[in-house]
Amino acid sequence: MIIVMKSGSTQEQVEAVERKLRDLGFQTHPIYGEVKTVIGAVGDKRLVKPHSIIHMDGVENIVPIMSPYKLVGRELISEDTIIDVDGVPIGGKELAVMAGPCAVESEEQLMEAAVKIKETGAKILRGGAFKPRTSPYSFQGLEEEGLKLLAQVGKETGLKIVTEVVDTRDVELVSQYADILQIGARSMQNFRLLSECGKADKPVLLKRGLSATIEEWLMAAEYILSAGNPNVILCERGIRTFETATRNTLDINAIPVVKERSHLPIIVDPSHATGNWRWVEAAAKASIAAGADGLMIEVHPDPSSATSDGQQSLKPEKFVELIKALKPIAQAVNRTI
Amino acid sequence: MIIVMKSGSTQEQVEAVERKLRDLGFQTHPIYGEVKTVIGAVGDKRLVKPHSIIHMDGVENIVPIMSPYKLVGRELISEDTIIDVDGVPIGGKELAVMAGPCAVESEEQLMEAAVKIKETGAKILRGGAFKPRTSPYSFQGLEEEGLKLLAQVGKETGLKIVTEVVDTRDVELVSQYADILQIGARSMQNFRLLSECGKADKPVLLKRGLSATIEEWLMAAEYILSAGNPNVILCERGIRTFETATRNTLDINAIPVVKERSHLPIIVDPSHATGNWRWVEAAAKASIAAGADGLMIEVHPDPSSATSDGQQSLKPEKFVELIKALKPIAQAVNRTI
Amino acid sequence: MIIVMKSGSTQEQVEAVERKLRDLGFQTHPIYGEVKTVIGAVGDKRLVKPHSIIHMDGVENIVPIMSPYKLVGRELISEDTIIDVDGVPIGGKELAVMAGPCAVESEEQLMEAAVKIKETGAKILRGGAFKPRTSPYSFQGLEEEGLKLLAQVGKETGLKIVTEVVDTRDVELVSQYADILQIGARSMQNFRLLSECGKADKPVLLKRGLSATIEEWLMAAEYILSAGNPNVILCERGIRTFETATRNTLDINAIPVVKERSHLPIIVDPSHATGNWRWVEAAAKASIAAGADGLMIEVHPDPSSATSDGQQSLKPEKFVELIKALKPIAQAVNRTI
Amino acid sequence: MIIVMKSGSTQEQVEAVERKLRDLGFQTHPIYGEVKTVIGAVGDKRLVKPHSIIHMDGVENIVPIMSPYKLVGRELISEDTIIDVDGVPIGGKELAVMAGPCAVESEEQLMEAAVKIKETGAKILRGGAFKPRTSPYSFQGLEEEGLKLLAQVGKETGLKIVTEVVDTRDVELVSQYADILQIGARSMQNFRLLSECGKADKPVLLKRGLSATIEEWLMAAEYILSAGNPNVILCERGIRTFETATRNTLDINAIPVVKERSHLPIIVDPSHATGNWRWVEAAAKASIAAGADGLMIEVHPDPSSATSDGQQSLKPEKFVELIKALKPIAQAVNRTI
């Protein structure tokens, strides 16, 4: 880490900062410029509380050098991680496709979607039993009843199940039914939930928060890994920006950036990232072309009667066409779908 | 709500949408323009699932007319709400001042801060026992031990206690020690936590999420009110923008907007909203001038040794000066501090 | 347009608004809801000054229904426009590739880049002679000298030239040397410059502003078209968001949205949109997969000595590899490159 | 400046970077950490092209230490600058108030506003003769006719005139009529216009760009100062964020940040910063309380007939009340109005 001293800071101030740094276990290397002095501090950033220094007289700013994550970074594990979801790999040559309705509504609805999804070769069924909704007056999900339907349809079709957990109290329950625990965008910094999922024995799909930087997202994954669960799948689902034409802004750049910084697989949710089924195809193609390891897509047999997010859901027949359209793109980047 | 049909939509499509709307309990009023047709739908927006319509042929867009919140809005309760925190009013002529360290670290630290805070006439002590931290390697709070220290110092000084709850499992525990339950920015859309706090018998301080719109924030408050707890204090703490010179951007406009739309009191946290103790005074003055009902400020006896947020904490003597500097501003807007 | 009246507005207020609307040439259709009244106003939005109504007693809000652009929209011209740049089509099956250095520095630099670019089959050479720079102390471009070098290298290689114009006073001069006039992101709302380029007889490449909405961007194009120049190529180059890991956030969603709303071709600049040459390939692939009509890429024979934007420039040999890597993606979406 | 080398960079790579830095005139100070090496480079950042280094093998990142502006910063001039607008000081104890209609429409309109403005003690009249408008179909201003009206009304009332210049070709013309040249938010990075205004002999009011960082804004001011004109007044007018309830987000934090970094005066435009006349008072009070040196406010005798921005304009009688309400706030921060 680098401590930048103010213009006009005194020799005494520089020395006081150096003493403090050495007390904290750092080696110090002051560099005297014409206008400003900076102090290089060598040691493990993760041990330090920078405000113990930022408040000292003459200090202007502190610049961290090391990335704050360890387990999710490429420094310890340089190879790409492939996560094994009960026989289905995520992160390898084959792209992972997760599809299904936003919310589980009934056995019929779920089964109808699942059968079509299965036909395309996709291997993972999504569906929400616990729904985080902006309004308390909106449908909040079928809860355990929904989990049971998911497990049942999963069993009958052979599809793996990914479903969201929104409360620390439900992690055990959801783990009994799901193959992958999903942590939603609004829970990305629910650190207790991250820790609980870190203790679970199921892989975790971690969606990026609406306004989370890539670094914060990787730190959220670090919570899960540091609690003991190495199986985290990152999911880019669009960020919040000033643009109002789309529900969110798909941060396609995040794919190469995450790939460079982390060994974890990353998939994209083009349904939330656009907010409109008409734009899902373009976003899905872009994601695969950019190097995503898979997709999570909302599919509903009757979007116009959906209890949630109908506007961005594909009808099953559109989903079948989408997967067809994605095949040549996957091939072009040496992947299969 | 208004349904906007696409240019070139057919009469059949318009009629199909009208039928659907009437099935959902709306009265319909089509308006035929030269290029586009729109359909006015009269009824309670809160009952409807707009995607049941957005997917219909010929529909371009849906424009809501009614605000989605009911209990927090001015329509049912037009008078400003004054919340009674065990004898301390929030929302009235007297500005509420909440101050204290970001995290509770020890009895000495807390007591030293509390005594100075008490001297200024402030009546509420803040301090985190459960800390949501971006990194799993940062100090996460003293937990129940911290709650006990808070309650003890509260008792000895007569200050009321506000402290954060981060997990649904802790709401009961925190309620035993705290006078106000704080829901932090990262938890603003932890809907389960909102509901649990809605069942608690303590007032709730609801911080605005980092990228929450004012509408989403009021909807989060609606969760608490609709669960039975009418005592919600809103707290603006800065939003996330492109600007990097400051930790967050204090959305000062939110004060008059919230005052116009809601009867709930709103306070400001200038410490988080700026991220730097040097800018806290300007932000605090601005907040009061703009009509805020109070302030929440980080005060630490020794910021340079703080385990969290030392950079934005005021030393107790600076806090004393700040309160002095705020008095004429409060007077200028006909408030007391 | 829809006028939303406040809850509690009186019949007199509604009638006064109706009268005003009729005076402005609208037909009015009031709809009385249980809580609120709205008034549908049928007529041409482009003629109206909504503030003449927004200030009236009882009015809460105005909701526009028609898009504010006419010539760039799909309503009048539904077919995709293909722009002919002196024999090179932009917007058709063949993807347009524009490449070259950020700034023209010397004949050698430009020729070395141009020869490699030509080899890949790309047909358009980019290079800045007038450079808008954040700092007055940075290199501002070779100006007319740079234009002459561009024209000369263009002549020798047969490549078409695209170069930026930053000042209304230079439009004529730049038009003498360039095949395409580029309007940069920082000039997107320099309305005088838009109008001047609208009177020029060269196609215009219009970059999206750093924080321009898609609607504002299309309105900027409307300035050019309405001044008489129908040949506008839109260029998405990343928007400004809270994310700091990348220079900008490539708004990949903008491609399907623009394609839906406008007949104009849209290309992407992955160099500015990422800000780092290592991420250009992923962003370029994504853009083509999403339906972009071409790419604008920074290529410099020696990025480490570039006077501007070296960090995001590809070396010529990397550019050759990139174009190779793009071929299968182009094919997958039925385009050629 | 600090060069951060990648983990695993070699000694040869470090030495190559050092050689390059020394060639560029820097002294180098390498610091070898356990994981990473950084190189301190002592010298004038403003002379360097960091991409000449960023592209070198083994380099991860470059961290600037010096602020990029010189003339606008506090390092050379530590005292607050007070600008003399033909006898009216801006930046001193007396707050500067600039008020008037968004666009000049007629002599009657302007005079009616001016007379009321004069009554309050305000000394500067604003009014647009050249209007930058999002739509080509909106009123673009009376141009020179508008300038003449401004000058005439200014003469008759004794008010100083501030008006916007949008084109380099008009700087001379506008300078003949105006006392202050205004550069609008959309022109903040029109670098040619900045330079032209830097050569003019009138003070310049520089509005902050919609998505300009404080650093970019100060760099824009640096363009004007470095071209020879030291008289720049900064004007915060709200930035673009995700919030849609307000037209812009007033960045109140910018006031203390700019005051800390620059000696130039800063005023606030609460009309644009909120976009709604009902919120102007709160924003204006907050601005003064936070330390702004003045205000620019839209006032129109008949907002409902305004050709531009009527929604955010105050009626003259409301403006009179506003100034009254601001007096005690000004007094509270030891200013006069």
Side-chain angles (χ1 to χ4, degrees):
Chain A
M1 126 182 118
I2 304 289
I3 288 83
V4 182
M5 303 297 293
K6 288 179 189 161
S7 318
S9 60
T10 64
Q11 183 61 23
E12 287 69 36
Q13 290 171 339
V14 172
E15 284 167 11
V17 172
E18 284 197 81
R19 263 195 309 279
K20 178 86 177 184
L21 285 165
R22 284 193 299 260
D23 288 354
L24 291 163
F26 288 91
Q27 292 171 41
T28 62
H29 300 266
I31 301 173
Y32 297 92
E34 284 159 48
V35 182
K36 291 194 174 180
T37 298
V38 304
I39 305 170
V42 172
D44 191 337
K45 178 193 180 297
R46 287 177 281 257
L47 298 176
V48 92
K49 297 163 287 176
H51 20 280
S52 64
I53 290 143
I54 195 74
H55 259 273
M56 296 185 73
D57 290 336
V59 173
E60 180 174 288
N61 196 12
I62 292 180
V63 182
I65 299 298
M66 299 280 289
S67 62
Y69 40 82
K70 227 170 14 183
L71 304 174
V72 308
R74 290 261 185 207
E75 286 167 27
L76 295 179
I77 300 181
S78 57
E79 294 284 285
D80 285 358
T81 288
I82 298 180
I83 289 169
D84 173 30
V85 181
D86 197 15
V88 174
I90 298 181
K93 193 180 175 184
E94 189 182 345
L95 296 167
V97 179
M98 312 182 183
C102 183
V104 176
E105 291 158 8
S106 70
E107 196 185 331
E108 296 67 40
Q109 170 236 28
L110 197 59
M111 187 52 96
E112 191 178 337
V115 166
K116 277 282 185 192
I117 288 163
K118 172 90 178 172
E119 273 177 34
T120 66
K123 301 211 168 99
I124 302 168
L125 179 66
R126 62 152 288 159
F130 298 98
K131 297 300 308 167
R133 302 301 298 274
T134 304
S135 166
Y137 310 117
S138 299
F139 175 62
Q140 311 273 321
L142 293 179
E143 310 202 342
E144 189 167 0
E145 181 58 26
L147 293 176
K148 285 181 181 163
L149 288 175
L150 281 165
Q152 180 193 326
V153 171
K155 209 170 171 183
E156 291 178 29
T157 57
L159 293 168
K160 304 300 162 200
I161 299 300
V162 55
T163 194
E164 182 165 355
V165 55
V166 297
D167 193 323
T168 49
R169 296 172 300 190
D170 299 332
V171 174
E172 254 192 67
L173 179 75
V174 177
S175 295
Q176 286 167 29
Y177 295 100
D179 298 295
I180 304 174
L181 302 173
Q182 179 180 326
I183 296 178
R186 283 167 185 77
S187 305
M188 194 204 84
Q189 290 195 321
N190 182 337
F191 300 112
R192 293 299 191 88
L193 186 62
L194 295 172
S195 296
E196 285 300 321
C197 290
K199 291 179 223 149
D201 61 350
K202 294 288 169 74
V204 177
L205 181 92
L206 179 65
K207 288 200 156 188
R208 182 178 181 182
L210 274 78
S211 65
T213 62
I214 292 171
E215 187 172 300
E216 288 168 340
W217 188 18
L218 293 177
M219 286 309 289
E222 186 88 5
Y223 260 91
I224 303 170
L225 270 72
S226 68
N229 188 343
N231 297 313
V232 173
I233 304 144
L234 299 165
C235 180
E236 160 70 30
R237 45 76 74 205
I239 57 173
R240 180 158 281 186
T241 69
F242 62 82
E243 178 59 72
T244 52
T246 49
R247 182 173 177 185
N248 292 295
T249 296
L250 170 51
D251 183 5
I252 198 85
N253 290 350
I255 299 172
V257 175
V258 164
K259 282 283 168 200
E260 186 173 297
R261 299 195 179 171
S262 175
H263 54 88
L264 296 173
I266 175 172
I267 70 167
V268 172
D269 173 348
S271 306
H272 282 88
T274 59
N276 191 312
W277 66 269
R278 298 195 305 269
W279 307 325
V280 165
E281 182 175 323
K285 286 173 166 177
S287 301
I288 292 178
D293 295 304
L295 295 167
M296 172 172 249
I297 294 174
E298 292 195 352
V299 175
H300 194 290
D302 180 14
S304 70
S305 75
T307 52
S308 172
D309 282 349
Q311 180 161 4
Q312 69 197 30
S313 297
L314 293 178
K315 295 186 188 174
E317 55 272 24
K318 290 271 178 204
F319 176 69
V320 172
E321 284 171 32
L322 171 65
I323 297 296
K324 244 180 250 168
L326 293 175
K327 281 186 194 297
I329 307 274
Q331 207 176 358
V333 292
N334 203 25
R335 306 292 281 261
T336 58
I337 192 168
Chain B
M1 124 182 119
I2 303 288
I3 288 81
V4 182
M5 303 297 292
K6 287 179 189 160
S7 317
S9 59
T10 64
Q11 182 61 23
E12 286 70 35
Q13 290 170 341
V14 172
E15 284 168 10
V17 172
E18 285 198 81
R19 265 195 307 278
K20 179 84 178 184
L21 285 165
R22 285 193 299 260
D23 288 355
L24 289 164
F26 287 91
Q27 294 171 43
T28 62
H29 301 266
I31 301 173
Y32 297 92
E34 284 159 48
V35 182
K36 292 196 171 178
T37 298
V38 304
I39 306 170
V42 172
D44 191 338
K45 180 198 178 298
R46 287 177 281 258
L47 298 177
V48 91
K49 297 164 286 177
H51 21 279
S52 63
I53 290 144
I54 195 74
H55 259 272
M56 296 184 73
D57 290 336
V59 172
E60 182 175 288
N61 197 12
I62 292 181
V63 181
I65 299 299
M66 298 280 290
S67 61
Y69 39 82
K70 223 167 22 180
L71 304 173
V72 309
R74 290 259 184 208
E75 287 166 26
L76 295 179
I77 301 181
S78 58
E79 294 284 285
D80 285 357
T81 287
I82 298 179
I83 289 170
D84 173 29
V85 181
D86 196 15
V88 174
I90 299 181
K93 192 180 174 184
E94 189 183 343
L95 296 168
V97 179
M98 311 182 182
C102 182
V104 175
E105 291 159 8
S106 70
E107 195 185 331
E108 295 68 40
Q109 171 236 26
L110 197 59
M111 187 53 96
E112 192 178 338
V115 167
K116 278 283 184 191
I117 288 162
K118 172 90 179 172
E119 273 176 35
T120 65
K123 300 210 170 100
I124 302 170
L125 179 66
R126 62 151 290 159
F130 298 99
K131 296 301 306 167
R133 301 300 297 274
T134 304
S135 167
Y137 309 118
S138 298
F139 175 62
Q140 311 274 321
L142 293 180
E143 310 201 342
E144 189 166 1
E145 181 57 28
L147 294 175
K148 285 180 182 164
L149 288 175
L150 282 165
Q152 180 193 327
V153 171
K155 209 169 171 187
E156 292 178 28
T157 57
L159 293 168
K160 305 300 164 200
I161 298 300
V162 56
T163 194
E164 182 165 355
V165 56
V166 297
D167 193 324
T168 49
R169 296 173 300 191
D170 299 332
V171 174
E172 254 193 68
L173 179 74
V174 177
S175 295
Q176 287 167 29
Y177 296 99
D179 298 295
I180 304 174
L181 302 174
Q182 178 179 328
I183 296 178
R186 283 167 185 76
S187 304
M188 193 204 84
Q189 290 195 320
N190 183 338
F191 300 113
R192 293 299 190 89
L193 186 62
L194 296 172
S195 296
E196 286 299 321
C197 290
K199 290 178 224 150
D201 61 349
K202 294 288 169 74
V204 178
L205 180 92
L206 179 65
K207 288 200 155 188
R208 180 178 182 182
L210 274 79
S211 64
T213 61
I214 291 171
E215 185 172 300
E216 288 168 340
W217 188 19
L218 293 178
M219 287 307 291
E222 185 88 5
Y223 261 91
I224 302 170
L225 270 73
S226 68
N229 187 343
N231 297 312
V232 173
I233 304 144
L234 299 166
C235 180
E236 161 68 32
R237 45 76 72 205
I239 57 172
R240 181 158 281 185
T241 69
F242 62 83
E243 179 59 71
T244 53
T246 48
R247 183 173 178 185
N248 291 294
T249 297
L250 169 51
D251 183 5
I252 198 85
N253 290 349
I255 299 171
V257 175
V258 163
K259 284 281 168 202
E260 187 173 297
R261 300 196 178 170
S262 175
H263 55 87
L264 295 173
I266 175 172
I267 70 167
V268 172
D269 173 348
S271 306
H272 282 87
T274 59
N276 191 312
W277 66 269
R278 297 195 305 270
W279 306 325
V280 165
E281 182 175 326
K285 287 174 167 177
S287 301
I288 292 177
D293 296 304
L295 295 167
M296 172 172 249
I297 295 175
E298 292 196 351
V299 175
H300 194 289
D302 180 14
S304 70
S305 76
T307 51
S308 173
D309 282 348
Q311 181 161 6
Q312 69 197 32
S313 297
L314 293 179
K315 294 185 190 176
E317 54 272 25
K318 290 272 178 201
F319 175 70
V320 173
E321 285 171 33
L322 171 65
I323 297 297
K324 243 179 252 168
L326 293 175
K327 282 186 193 296
I329 307 275
Q331 207 176 357
V333 291
N334 202 25
R335 307 290 283 260
T336 58
I337 191 167
Chain C
M1 130 181 116
I2 304 290
I3 288 82
V4 182
M5 303 296 291
K6 287 178 188 160
S7 318
S9 59
T10 63
Q11 183 62 22
E12 287 70 36
Q13 290 170 340
V14 172
E15 284 168 12
V17 172
E18 285 198 81
R19 264 196 307 280
K20 178 87 177 184
L21 285 166
R22 284 192 299 261
D23 288 353
L24 289 164
F26 288 91
Q27 293 170 43
T28 61
H29 300 265
I31 302 173
Y32 297 92
E34 285 159 48
V35 181
K36 291 194 173 179
T37 298
V38 304
I39 305 170
V42 172
D44 190 337
K45 178 194 180 295
R46 288 177 281 258
L47 297 177
V48 91
K49 296 164 286 177
H51 20 280
S52 63
I53 290 144
I54 196 75
H55 259 272
M56 296 184 73
D57 289 336
V59 172
E60 180 174 290
N61 198 12
I62 293 180
V63 181
I65 299 298
M66 299 280 290
S67 61
Y69 40 82
K70 226 170 15 185
L71 304 174
V72 308
R74 291 259 184 209
E75 286 166 27
L76 294 179
I77 301 181
S78 58
E79 294 283 285
D80 285 357
T81 287
I82 298 180
I83 289 169
D84 173 31
V85 181
D86 196 15
V88 174
I90 298 181
K93 192 179 174 184
E94 191 183 341
L95 296 167
V97 179
M98 310 181 183
C102 182
V104 176
E105 291 159 8
S106 70
E107 195 185 331
E108 296 67 41
Q109 171 236 28
L110 196 60
M111 187 53 97
E112 192 178 337
V115 167
K116 279 282 184 192
I117 287 162
K118 172 90 179 173
E119 274 177 34
T120 66
K123 300 211 169 101
I124 303 169
L125 179 66
R126 63 151 289 159
F130 298 98
K131 296 300 308 167
R133 301 301 297 275
T134 304
S135 166
Y137 309 118
S138 298
F139 176 63
Q140 311 273 322
L142 293 179
E143 310 201 343
E144 189 167 0
E145 181 58 27
L147 293 175
K148 284 181 182 164
L149 288 175
L150 281 165
Q152 180 194 325
V153 170
K155 208 169 171 185
E156 291 179 29
T157 56
L159 293 168
K160 304 300 163 199
I161 299 300
V162 56
T163 195
E164 182 165 355
V165 56
V166 298
D167 193 323
T168 48
R169 296 173 301 190
D170 298 332
V171 174
E172 255 193 68
L173 179 74
V174 177
S175 295
Q176 286 167 30
Y177 295 100
D179 299 294
I180 303 174
L181 301 174
Q182 178 180 326
I183 295 179
R186 283 167 184 77
S187 305
M188 194 204 84
Q189 291 195 319
N190 182 338
F191 300 112
R192 293 300 191 86
L193 186 62
L194 296 172
S195 295
E196 285 298 320
C197 290
K199 290 179 223 149
D201 62 349
K202 294 288 169 73
V204 177
L205 181 91
L206 179 65
K207 288 199 155 189
R208 181 178 182 183
L210 275 78
S211 64
T213 62
I214 292 171
E215 185 171 301
E216 288 169 340
W217 188 19
L218 294 177
M219 287 308 290
E222 186 87 6
Y223 260 92
I224 302 170
L225 269 73
S226 69
N229 188 343
N231 297 312
V232 173
I233 304 143
L234 299 166
C235 181
E236 160 69 30
R237 45 76 73 205
I239 56 172
R240 181 158 281 185
T241 70
F242 63 82
E243 178 59 72
T244 53
T246 49
R247 183 173 177 186
N248 291 294
T249 296
L250 170 51
D251 183 5
I252 198 85
N253 290 350
I255 300 172
V257 175
V258 164
K259 283 281 169 203
E260 186 172 298
R261 300 195 179 172
S262 175
H263 55 88
L264 296 173
I266 175 172
I267 71 167
V268 173
D269 173 347
S271 306
H272 282 87
T274 59
N276 192 312
W277 66 269
R278 297 196 304 271
W279 307 324
V280 165
E281 182 175 324
K285 287 174 166 177
S287 301
I288 293 178
D293 295 304
L295 295 167
M296 173 173 246
I297 295 174
E298 293 196 351
V299 175
H300 195 289
D302 180 14
S304 70
S305 76
T307 51
S308 174
D309 283 347
Q311 181 161 4
Q312 69 197 33
S313 297
L314 292 178
K315 294 185 190 175
E317 54 272 24
K318 290 270 178 204
F319 175 70
V320 173
E321 284 171 33
L322 171 65
I323 298 296
K324 245 180 250 168
L326 293 175
K327 282 186 192 295
I329 307 274
Q331 208 176 356
V333 291
N334 202 24
R335 307 291 283 261
T336 59
I337 191 168
Chain D
M1 131 180 113
I2 303 288
I3 289 84
V4 182
M5 303 297 293
K6 288 179 188 159
S7 318
S9 60
T10 65
Q11 183 61 24
E12 287 69 37
Q13 290 171 339
V14 173
E15 284 168 10
V17 172
E18 285 197 81
R19 263 195 309 278
K20 179 85 178 184
L21 284 165
R22 285 192 299 259
D23 288 354
L24 290 164
F26 288 92
Q27 292 171 42
T28 62
H29 300 266
I31 301 172
Y32 297 92
E34 283 158 50
V35 182
K36 291 195 173 178
T37 298
V38 304
I39 305 170
V42 172
D44 191 337
K45 179 195 179 299
R46 288 177 279 259
L47 298 176
V48 91
K49 298 163 286 177
H51 22 278
S52 64
I53 289 143
I54 195 75
H55 259 271
M56 295 184 74
D57 290 335
V59 173
E60 181 174 290
N61 197 12
I62 292 181
V63 181
I65 299 298
M66 298 281 289
S67 61
Y69 39 81
K70 222 165 24 178
L71 304 174
V72 308
R74 290 259 185 207
E75 287 167 25
L76 294 179
I77 301 180
S78 56
E79 294 283 286
D80 285 357
T81 288
I82 298 180
I83 290 169
D84 173 30
V85 182
D86 197 15
V88 174
I90 299 181
K93 192 179 175 186
E94 189 182 345
L95 297 168
V97 179
M98 310 182 183
C102 183
V104 175
E105 291 159 8
S106 71
E107 195 185 332
E108 296 67 40
Q109 170 236 27
L110 197 59
M111 187 53 97
E112 190 178 338
V115 166
K116 278 283 185 191
I117 288 162
K118 172 90 179 172
E119 274 177 34
T120 66
K123 301 210 169 101
I124 302 168
L125 178 66
R126 61 150 291 159
F130 298 98
K131 296 301 308 168
R133 300 301 297 274
T134 304
S135 166
Y137 309 117
S138 299
F139 176 61
Q140 311 273 321
L142 293 180
E143 310 202 341
E144 189 166 0
E145 181 58 26
L147 294 175
K148 284 180 182 163
L149 288 175
L150 281 165
Q152 181 194 325
V153 171
K155 208 167 171 184
E156 291 179 29
T157 57
L159 293 168
K160 305 300 162 198
I161 298 300
V162 55
T163 194
E164 183 166 354
V165 55
V166 298
D167 192 322
T168 49
R169 296 173 299 190
D170 299 332
V171 174
E172 254 192 69
L173 179 74
V174 177
S175 295
Q176 286 166 30
Y177 297 99
D179 299 295
I180 304 174
L181 302 174
Q182 178 179 327
I183 296 179
R186 284 167 184 76
S187 305
M188 193 203 84
Q189 290 196 320
N190 182 338
F191 301 111
R192 292 302 191 86
L193 185 62
L194 296 172
S195 295
E196 285 299 320
C197 290
K199 290 179 223 150
D201 62 350
K202 294 287 170 73
V204 178
L205 181 92
L206 180 64
K207 288 200 155 187
R208 182 178 181 182
L210 275 77
S211 65
T213 61
I214 291 171
E215 186 172 301
E216 289 168 340
W217 187 19
L218 293 178
M219 287 307 291
E222 186 87 7
Y223 261 91
I224 303 170
L225 269 72
S226 68
N229 187 342
N231 296 313
V232 173
I233 304 144
L234 299 166
C235 180
E236 160 69 30
R237 44 76 74 206
I239 57 172
R240 180 159 281 185
T241 69
F242 62 83
E243 179 58 72
T244 52
T246 48
R247 182 173 177 186
N248 291 295
T249 296
L250 170 51
D251 182 5
I252 198 87
N253 290 350
I255 300 171
V257 174
V258 164
K259 283 282 170 203
E260 186 173 298
R261 299 195 180 172
S262 175
H263 55 87
L264 296 173
I266 175 172
I267 69 167
V268 173
D269 173 347
S271 306
H272 282 88
T274 60
N276 191 313
W277 67 270
R278 296 197 304 270
W279 307 325
V280 164
E281 181 175 324
K285 287 175 167 176
S287 301
I288 292 178
D293 296 304
L295 296 167
M296 172 172 248
I297 295 174
E298 293 195 351
V299 175
H300 195 290
D302 179 13
S304 69
S305 76
T307 53
S308 175
D309 283 347
Q311 180 161 6
Q312 68 197 31
S313 296
L314 293 178
K315 295 187 190 175
E317 55 271 25
K318 290 270 178 203
F319 175 70
V320 172
E321 285 171 32
L322 171 65
I323 297 296
K324 245 181 248 168
L326 292 175
K327 281 185 194 297
I329 306 275
Q331 206 176 358
V333 291
N334 202 26
R335 307 290 283 259
T336 58
I337 191 168

